[in-house]
Amino acid sequence: MKIIEANIFGFGKWKQTTIDLSGASFIVIAGQNESGKSTLRQFMLFILFGMPPKQRAQFLPKTGGEMGGTLTIQTQDGGAFTIERIHDRNKAQATCYDQDGIAHGEAWLRERLNGVDAQTFADIFSFDSISLQRLQQIKQTDIGEVLLGVGMTGTDQIYWTEKWLDQQLQDLFRPQGKKPVINQLIDAMEEKAKQLEQMEQEARSYQEKQQTKASLAEAVGILQEKSEQLHKEKQQTEQKQQVYEVIEAFHHTQNKLSELPSEISFPENGLERYQQLKEQMLPLKSELTVVRMNIDKEAKQLEEIKSKQLTPATMDELEKMKEQRYAYHESINKHSFNIQTKEEWLRQLTHEMEQLQIGLTIEQVADLSLPFATEDIWQQLKEEHEDVMTGLAKTENELKEIEEQSRFLEQEREMLENKQIDQVTIDELNQQLDNDQKSASLNQQQNNNWKVLRKKRLASANRVSVYSLILLIISGVVGFLLSNTYLYDLSAVILVIALLHQVVTRQSIRSMEPLFVTQNQVDRTNTSSRDKIMEIETVIAEQANLTERLTKINESLRNLQLENLKADERRQFFKQKQSILGSKRMEQLEQFPFLKEISLSYWPKLFNHLTKVVEKVEKLGKLEQDILLVRKDIDQYEQGLAEAFLSINQLQSRQPTEMLEIIIDEADNQKHLKQKEQQLNNNQANLIGQQETIESRLKPYQEELDQLWNKASVHNEESYITKGNIKEEQLEKRRELKAYEHQIRMFLSEHEWERLLAGEQIQKYEIENALFKVTSQLKDVQDQIKIKQQEVADMHAEIRQVELSTSFQDEKHHYYRLKNELQEQTKQWAIYQLAKEKLQETKNMYQRSFLPKVLEQTTKHFKDLTNQKYRDVFLTDQEAMLQVENDVGIRFIVTELSQGTRDQLYIALRIALSEIIQKQYQMPFFIDDAFVHFDLERLDKMYVIFKQLATKQQIIIFTNDTSWSETVTEKDDLRLIRI
């Protein structure tokens, strides 16, 4: 397949551009740096294979418009189809149109491309200078492996994948290693098995202690039952003591109620209802007074307004003058502005001609002919002059910066090389670091195991305490609400159990703590060893950092050399443009002699000044006619203004401005009086309606007030309120008596309540004596319970020391977890090992079948490129290292070749691979600036090879190398496109 046309809607700097690639299979696209060559190549790849959204974002047109375009493809059978892909349409999916105009989707395009994607195309059918530079970073012993992978897939990914697999296998397991993961897991499992065996030996019989513990628990139960009974009796006595003050208040209230009348005639809620009526009537009475005052005020204002109004005819004349005042002011302003403009233009013309200093008069400028294209020519000359001077200055600065950067990098590289130490010393430090880390890891692991066990026991004890606290709160609240003393006793039991569990757990932890404290003291004696480990790790890390920095510096120096060559080419280009610009300037001086004394940078500005001078001369005549017409309109309005002023004022006539202000004020005043008259009439009608509404709203309130007085059998407000207060006091005392009764009845027995109703007073000292007695008995029982519970706790602690600790289950779980982890890591090691073996099998199969054909074609092209200086390219059997043999039989490895020869070998290998693959996949071949180290003779040899290759597939070369462009310009079997 071939690309015969590229139509760019918008892509980076390219916009609305069509590039014809038909007529030849060998196409060279040449242009200066930043002319858009790489962008054009990215456009072709975008249309063929698409592009991720983030990558597309950097190619969006800066000046707007849609991003995308079309490629027209010619197939092997002579047919053609067009691929269209647009950034924001159909999710950037391709739309293909065949010869019949039928549209197809992305899947149809993949079929036409035989499944080749962007990565495969870049690996096999495309290469550039970056691919060549990557080979320089590979070690001498590995260059053969890299090129073998390139021969297989077009990329060096196989080499790096194999290196990654080797590293993963080494990190997982080494037969004699200590740091790999599997080695560490095996050591940990052996240590854990020894610990489990020791813990199993500590579990033995403890039947006798269990029986003793049961007897003590039974005795505690009997004492707790007696404690519950005494606690209930104490609680009842305390309740009586608490309500004693309520009993006294009950007697006092009963006596007060007997002093009041038994029956009082008064309306229900009479005081509250009376107050509500007063509050509702008060704002209505106030509002009625205000409305009556406003009615009188509105009537007086209406009489004053009617005496100040003018006749309708006079008002019409005033309104006419008022409406025309804006046109009058505008005419005055326009007349004044025109006079000033005329004077200003005359001054400006004279001043501008003096400032131009070109030796022309105003009459000569008026007759001067300045074609429209003159401005564009002068502007273009100015821009070219500025671009040339800017480009030359920028290029010189770039060359200086490159030289300074190179000198700085050379100094830094020399300094870093002096700091490096030999590899033997580094290996010794790594061995010493492994030994020290193993010892530190073992001690740390034992300490961590104790911390985990201690944390789990404390967490278990805290959970039991939290659950006990929740049950304690619930039972206490329910006991208080239900007055159930058994629930209070249950709360006390729960609290005791929680406290015992906390004490036992913490005593167990303290008994084991000394064992691990001793281990921690031993660990602190090894502080100096850990410092030594950190010192060794620091030295190794610094050496690795030095090596990485040296690699980056070498890469930066190579990039600076390439940038220096490109900057020098740009400097020569700007010097050529400077010469062409001088010829164009002389042509303009012959046509316009007055430009000789003016700098080229000011020509566009001079053109604008000359154009403005000619326009001002033409406008002077029109301006004088406008001045006469505006003066006539002003005189007519001022005459009418004087007549209107006399109709409202008998005084002597004044200035037009003063008369206009008086007329406008009078017209506005009359309009305001008319509006105010209408407003006052409306307000007066509304106020009368409000007066009638308020009087009707007050009537039912007054009737309801009279009814309340009749029910209370009174005739004035004071008597009504006094009688109401007595009624309220009676009701309040009855409510208090009911409340006291409810509080007392729930704490007293029937006999005590009957005594209270009969008037007998319960003495306080009786309650206090009973409370003291029951409290003493309860304290004695609780002390006995604490003694027995302590004995139970001591026995329980002894039993727990013998019982199988939960730490045994934790350690056993840890052992099986290590076992599972070892199985997973072993499985992962086997996967990596299998992948490495399969990769090696694939390489061996490729070497036996496909590689000989690729090396045969590589040898043929390499011989042609080197002018028969090298006659063979092959891989050694043992080390799989790539070697070449010259014409006298001497063999060389790749790193012994010159830079240019290595590039030739790599390009020969890529071309050979493309020829082999081309038999199955017909695709174009892209080369982007890959001949930096080629001289003219090598370029000519490269051209011969591409000419032969172009008979089978399309070749597209993107280059800024002028020598390459000149080499192929005169040939008639290729297409040269300059951009």
Side-chain angles (χ1 to χ4, degrees):
M1 60 175 284
K2 297 181 180 179
I3 302 173
I4 60 177
E5 184 181 83
N7 185 14
I8 307 174
F9 303 157
F11 196 85
K13 68 177 293 181
W14 294 96
K15 190 171 184 181
Q16 300 301 328
T17 304
T18 300
I19 299 177
D20 184 8
L21 302 175
S22 62
S25 296
F26 188 6
I27 299 171
V28 177
I29 299 177
Q32 298 294 328
N33 290 328
E34 300 183 359
S35 60
K37 301 185 302 301
S38 297
T39 304
L40 178 59
R41 181 166 74 99
Q42 290 295 333
F43 167 77
M44 295 180 182
L45 295 175
F46 166 65
I47 299 298
L48 286 171
F49 306 107
M51 191 178 290
K54 290 185 178 179
Q55 189 176 355
R56 292 200 304 268
Q58 62 182 318
F59 294 108
L60 291 173
K62 302 301 183 184
T63 58
E66 63 181 359
M67 169 190 168
T70 65
L71 283 182
T72 302
I73 307 297
Q74 183 177 357
T75 59
Q76 301 173 15
D77 55 5
F81 64 92
T82 300
I83 308 171
E84 181 183 65
R85 195 184 297 269
I86 298 176
H87 164 66
D88 55 356
R89 185 183 303 174
N90 195 24
K91 297 182 179 179
Q93 296 289 311
T95 303
C96 304
Y97 301 94
D98 58 19
Q99 289 179 323
D100 299 327
I102 301 175
H104 304 277
E106 189 81 29
W108 185 87
L109 175 60
R110 286 197 295 269
E111 292 178 2
R112 303 283 85 73
L113 299 177
N114 292 324
V116 175
D117 58 10
Q119 185 61 47
T120 304
F121 184 88
D123 291 342
I124 299 176
F125 299 103
S126 175
F127 70 91
D128 51 23
S129 59
I130 297 176
S131 302
L132 298 177
Q133 291 175 5
R134 290 183 61 184
L135 285 180
Q136 314 309 320
Q137 304 173 7
I138 308 301
K139 296 181 180 179
Q140 174 180 339
T141 55
D142 297 334
I143 192 68
E145 290 290 333
V146 175
L147 292 178
L148 175 62
V150 171
M152 292 175 65
T153 64
T155 178
D156 56 4
Q157 190 61 41
I158 288 181
Y159 165 74
W160 294 113
T161 301
E162 191 170 12
K163 288 294 183 184
W164 181 81
L165 288 173
D166 287 336
Q167 184 63 41
Q168 295 300 316
L169 290 171
Q170 292 292 323
D171 291 344
L172 286 175
F173 178 73
R174 280 183 288 179
Q176 304 301 327
K178 297 298 182 181
K179 293 179 64 177
V181 178
I182 294 177
N183 297 76
Q184 293 182 6
L185 288 174
I186 292 174
D187 295 341
M189 286 186 62
E190 293 176 353
E191 183 66 25
K192 191 62 65 178
K194 294 178 182 178
Q195 294 179 6
L196 290 176
E197 183 179 357
Q198 181 179 358
M199 296 177 71
E200 287 177 351
Q201 295 175 358
E202 296 177 357
R204 294 293 181 267
S205 64
Y206 57 98
Q207 189 66 31
E208 182 178 350
K209 293 182 179 181
Q210 287 282 19
Q211 293 177 357
T212 304
K213 177 183 175 182
S215 299
L216 292 172
E218 183 178 358
V220 170
I222 296 172
L223 291 172
Q224 286 178 342
E225 290 179 358
K226 185 176 180 180
S227 174
E228 290 176 0
Q229 183 179 1
L230 292 172
H231 182 76
K232 181 178 180 181
E233 184 177 350
K234 177 186 176 183
Q235 186 179 21
Q236 292 175 348
T237 307
E238 288 175 345
Q239 291 174 350
K240 292 178 183 179
Q241 188 180 32
Q242 292 174 358
V243 301
Y244 184 77
E245 294 181 357
V246 180
I247 295 173
E248 290 183 340
F250 179 83
H251 279 292
H252 179 73
T253 303
Q254 196 174 36
N255 295 332
K256 286 288 184 181
L257 185 62
S258 62
E259 296 175 358
L260 297 175
S262 59
E263 296 294 335
I264 300 175
S265 60
F266 195 79
E268 186 177 358
N269 297 327
L271 289 177
E272 182 179 353
R273 291 165 61 188
Y274 181 78
Q275 186 63 30
Q276 290 177 354
L277 286 174
K278 294 287 287 184
E279 291 175 355
Q280 292 172 353
M281 292 176 65
L282 182 61
L284 291 175
K285 290 181 177 179
S286 299
E287 186 177 355
L288 181 61
T289 303
V290 173
V291 169
R292 289 171 178 171
M293 292 174 62
N294 290 335
I295 291 174
D296 297 338
K297 182 179 179 181
E298 297 291 334
K300 294 179 181 179
Q301 290 181 356
L302 277 174
E303 294 178 359
E304 294 178 359
I305 289 173
K306 290 179 180 180
S307 65
K308 297 178 181 179
Q309 291 180 341
L310 297 175
T311 62
T314 304
M315 280 299 301
D316 292 341
E317 186 66 23
L318 295 180
E319 287 295 332
K320 180 179 178 182
M321 291 295 101
K322 180 180 176 182
E323 291 175 358
Q324 293 179 356
R325 72 183 186 278
Y326 298 111
Y328 170 69
H329 289 306
E330 184 178 355
S331 298
I332 292 176
N333 294 334
K334 185 175 181 181
H335 182 267
S336 177
F337 176 76
N338 288 342
I339 295 296
Q340 294 177 0
T341 303
K342 177 181 176 181
E343 296 175 354
E344 182 65 23
W345 282 0
L346 289 174
R347 286 194 301 271
Q348 288 180 0
L349 284 172
T350 304
H351 179 70
E352 288 179 5
M353 292 306 300
E354 292 176 354
Q355 292 293 324
L356 290 177
Q357 296 182 359
I358 57 176
L360 297 178
T361 62
I362 294 178
E363 291 77 10
Q364 290 174 334
V365 171
D367 297 335
L368 185 63
S369 176
L370 295 174
F372 179 75
T374 302
E375 182 180 8
D376 294 337
I377 293 173
W378 290 3
Q379 182 66 31
Q380 184 178 2
L381 289 175
K382 174 192 174 183
E383 293 174 355
E384 290 179 359
H385 174 71
E386 292 176 350
D387 290 343
V388 168
M389 300 308 295
T390 302
L392 285 173
K394 182 179 179 181
T395 305
E396 292 295 339
N397 291 333
E398 289 178 357
L399 289 171
K400 291 180 181 179
E401 290 178 0
I402 291 172
E403 182 180 359
E404 292 177 358
Q405 291 177 10
S406 299
R407 184 167 57 254
F408 174 76
L409 291 175
E410 289 289 352
Q411 294 174 354
E412 186 176 0
R413 179 171 64 179
E414 182 179 357
M415 179 186 66
L416 294 178
E417 289 175 349
N418 293 333
K419 292 182 180 180
Q420 280 187 314
I421 62 176
D422 58 284
Q423 186 62 36
V424 176
T425 305
I426 294 176
D427 294 339
E428 292 176 355
L429 291 175
N430 283 324
Q431 183 63 35
Q432 184 178 355
L433 181 63
D434 290 343
N435 296 334
D436 293 342
Q437 286 180 342
K438 177 183 177 183
S439 177
S441 176
L442 181 60
N443 294 333
Q444 184 64 31
Q445 184 177 5
Q446 292 177 354
N447 194 23
N448 290 341
N449 291 339
W450 162 242
K451 289 181 179 178
V452 172
L453 175 60
R454 183 175 181 273
K455 183 177 180 181
K456 287 183 178 179
R457 289 192 173 183
L458 288 176
S460 177
N462 292 335
R463 284 196 298 271
V464 172
S465 299
V466 172
Y467 297 153
S468 301
L469 180 61
I470 294 173
L471 292 175
L472 175 64
I473 295 172
I474 293 174
S475 61
V477 172
V478 175
F480 176 77
L481 295 176
L482 301 178
S483 299
N484 191 335
T485 59
Y486 291 105
L487 291 178
Y488 286 111
D489 298 337
L490 177 61
S491 301
V493 172
I494 292 172
L495 178 60
V496 171
I497 292 174
L499 293 175
L500 285 175
H501 186 270
Q502 279 283 348
V503 171
V504 171
T505 301
R506 296 186 182 276
Q507 285 182 348
S508 176
I509 292 173
R510 283 196 296 271
S511 65
M512 298 182 68
E513 189 75 32
L515 298 175
F516 294 94
V517 170
T518 302
Q519 182 63 39
N520 290 336
Q521 292 173 351
V522 174
D523 291 343
R524 285 194 292 271
T525 61
N526 295 328
T527 303
S528 60
S529 299
R530 288 195 295 272
D531 294 340
K532 186 177 180 181
I533 291 174
M534 293 177 63
E535 182 179 355
I536 295 174
E537 289 177 344
T538 302
V539 172
I540 294 174
E542 288 177 352
Q543 290 301 312
N545 186 34
L546 285 175
T547 304
E548 182 179 358
R549 289 172 62 187
L550 281 171
T551 302
K552 292 182 179 179
I553 288 173
N554 291 330
E555 182 180 357
S556 300
L557 285 171
R558 288 193 295 271
N559 293 336
L560 287 175
Q561 290 175 359
L562 182 60
E563 291 179 3
N564 187 70
L565 292 174
K566 294 180 179 179
D568 187 63
E569 291 178 1
R570 291 196 294 272
R571 180 172 58 183
Q572 297 299 328
F573 170 74
F574 285 119
K575 287 184 178 181
Q576 293 177 0
K577 289 186 67 175
Q578 188 178 26
S579 177
I580 297 172
L581 181 63
S583 302
K584 293 181 180 180
R585 182 174 179 274
M586 292 304 298
E587 293 178 1
Q588 293 300 312
L589 291 177
E590 293 177 358
Q591 186 176 358
F592 304 101
F594 57 84
L595 296 176
K596 292 180 181 180
E597 303 300 328
I598 300 175
S599 175
L600 180 60
S601 301
Y602 295 101
W603 286 11
K605 188 175 182 180
L606 176 62
F607 182 88
N608 293 331
H609 285 299
L610 290 175
T611 304
K612 293 178 181 178
V613 168
V614 174
E615 291 177 354
K616 288 180 180 179
V617 172
E618 294 176 354
K619 291 179 179 178
L620 279 174
K622 296 180 181 179
L623 191 60
E624 292 178 353
Q625 295 178 2
D626 290 343
I627 292 173
L628 295 175
L629 293 175
V630 172
R631 182 71 260 178
K632 182 178 179 181
D633 294 338
I634 292 173
D635 295 340
Q636 290 179 354
Y637 181 82
E638 289 180 350
Q639 182 178 358
L641 189 65
E643 295 174 356
F645 180 74
L646 292 175
S647 64
I648 64 171
N649 197 327
Q650 300 301 324
L651 298 176
Q652 186 178 1
S653 180
R654 304 183 184 182
Q655 293 294 327
T657 304
E658 297 178 358
M659 290 189 293
L660 180 59
E661 290 178 356
I662 294 173
I663 289 173
I664 292 173
D665 291 341
E666 185 62 29
D668 292 339
N669 184 46
Q670 290 296 319
K671 187 176 182 181
H672 177 70
L673 290 174
K674 191 68 176 178
Q675 293 174 350
K676 192 170 183 181
E677 179 186 9
Q678 182 65 32
Q679 183 180 1
L680 290 174
N681 288 329
N682 295 335
N683 291 344
Q684 192 175 39
N686 291 334
L687 290 171
I688 294 172
Q690 290 178 12
Q691 180 181 358
E692 296 173 354
T693 302
I694 294 170
E695 290 174 350
S696 62
R697 289 170 60 188
L698 275 172
K699 185 176 180 181
Y701 292 128
Q702 187 63 44
E703 293 176 352
E704 186 175 354
L705 188 63
D706 295 339
Q707 292 177 2
L708 291 177
W709 287 4
N710 293 333
K711 288 181 180 181
S713 301
V714 296
H715 301 286
N716 55 57
E717 182 178 6
E718 182 178 359
S719 300
Y720 182 85
I721 293 174
T722 302
K723 195 171 186 179
N725 290 334
I726 296 174
K727 180 68 175 179
E728 288 293 328
E729 183 181 2
Q730 183 188 53
L731 294 175
E732 180 64 24
K733 295 300 179 181
R734 289 178 179 176
R735 285 194 294 269
E736 290 179 0
L737 201 63
K738 287 288 184 182
Y740 294 148
E741 180 181 351
H742 176 72
Q743 296 180 37
I744 296 171
R745 286 295 300 271
M746 63 187 300
F747 297 111
L748 299 181
S749 63
E750 290 293 333
H751 174 69
E752 291 172 335
W753 175 248
E754 290 175 357
R755 287 176 56 193
L756 186 63
L757 291 179
E760 183 179 353
Q761 184 70 28
I762 299 175
Q763 300 300 323
K764 188 175 182 179
Y765 72 89
E766 297 177 1
I767 300 174
E768 292 176 347
N769 291 336
L771 179 62
F772 176 77
K773 180 179 179 181
V774 72
T775 302
S776 300
Q777 294 176 354
L778 179 61
K779 184 177 182 301
D780 293 339
V781 173
Q782 288 178 344
D783 290 340
Q784 295 177 19
I785 291 174
K786 289 180 181 180
I787 294 173
K788 294 295 183 182
Q789 287 178 339
Q790 183 62 42
E791 294 177 358
V792 172
D794 295 340
M795 185 60 62
H796 179 74
E798 294 177 4
I799 293 173
R800 291 296 295 173
Q801 290 179 357
V802 181
E803 287 180 342
L804 184 62
S805 174
T806 57
S807 61
F808 175 71
Q809 297 297 331
D810 295 338
E811 295 297 329
K812 198 170 184 179
H813 174 71
H814 189 199
Y815 173 80
Y816 285 109
R817 184 169 61 82
L818 288 174
K819 186 176 180 180
N820 291 335
E821 186 178 356
L822 177 60
Q823 292 175 351
E824 292 296 328
Q825 295 294 341
T826 305
K827 184 187 298 183
Q828 186 64 40
W829 181 89
I831 292 172
Y832 288 146
Q833 185 66 28
L834 179 61
K836 183 179 178 182
E837 293 174 358
K838 291 298 182 182
L839 184 61
Q840 187 61 41
E841 290 178 7
T842 304
K843 288 169 58 179
N844 294 337
M845 184 183 300
Y846 174 78
Q847 286 181 311
R848 291 192 301 269
S849 58
F850 192 66
L851 183 59
K853 298 178 183 179
V854 174
L855 289 178
E856 182 181 353
Q857 283 298 110
T858 302
T859 301
K860 177 179 178 298
H861 294 316
F862 190 53
K863 288 169 63 177
D864 294 339
L865 285 173
T866 60
N867 200 18
Q868 309 300 320
K869 183 177 180 181
Y870 296 91
R871 64 187 184 187
D872 197 5
V873 179
F874 57 91
L875 287 173
T876 60
D877 296 334
Q878 290 79 12
E879 299 88 359
M881 293 178 62
L882 189 68
Q883 293 187 353
V884 298
E885 183 178 318
N886 66 5
D887 52 358
V888 296
I890 300 176
R891 296 185 177 184
F892 301 90
I893 61 175
V894 175
T895 54
E896 294 175 345
L897 302 175
S898 66
Q899 178 69 52
T901 306
R902 276 183 284 177
D903 289 352
Q904 289 174 313
L905 176 59
Y906 179 72
I907 291 173
L909 181 62
R910 292 301 298 266
I911 293 175
L913 177 65
S914 175
E915 288 180 310
I916 299 300
I917 300 298
Q918 183 68 16
K919 297 177 181 178
Q920 182 179 358
Y921 302 100
Q922 292 290 330
M923 300 293 291
F925 199 50
F926 288 1
I927 302 98
D928 188 359
D929 269 343
F931 310 108
V932 177
H933 301 286
F934 278 37
D935 52 25
L936 292 177
E937 182 179 358
R938 287 173 174 170
L939 285 176
D940 193 54
K941 295 292 184 182
M942 196 75 256
Y943 163 72
V944 174
I945 294 177
F946 282 144
K947 177 182 177 183
Q948 296 173 356
L949 188 61
T951 59
K952 300 177 182 179
Q953 68 181 121
Q954 187 181 34
I955 306 296
I956 302 178
I957 298 177
F958 302 85
T959 181
N960 66 347
D961 193 336
T962 56
S963 59
W964 169 260
S965 303
E966 294 171 359
T967 301
V968 300
T969 299
E970 303 300 329
K971 310 297 182 180
D972 55 359
D973 52 355
L974 61 83
R975 179 81 179 276
L976 177 62
I977 301 175
R978 297 185 183 274
I979 59 175

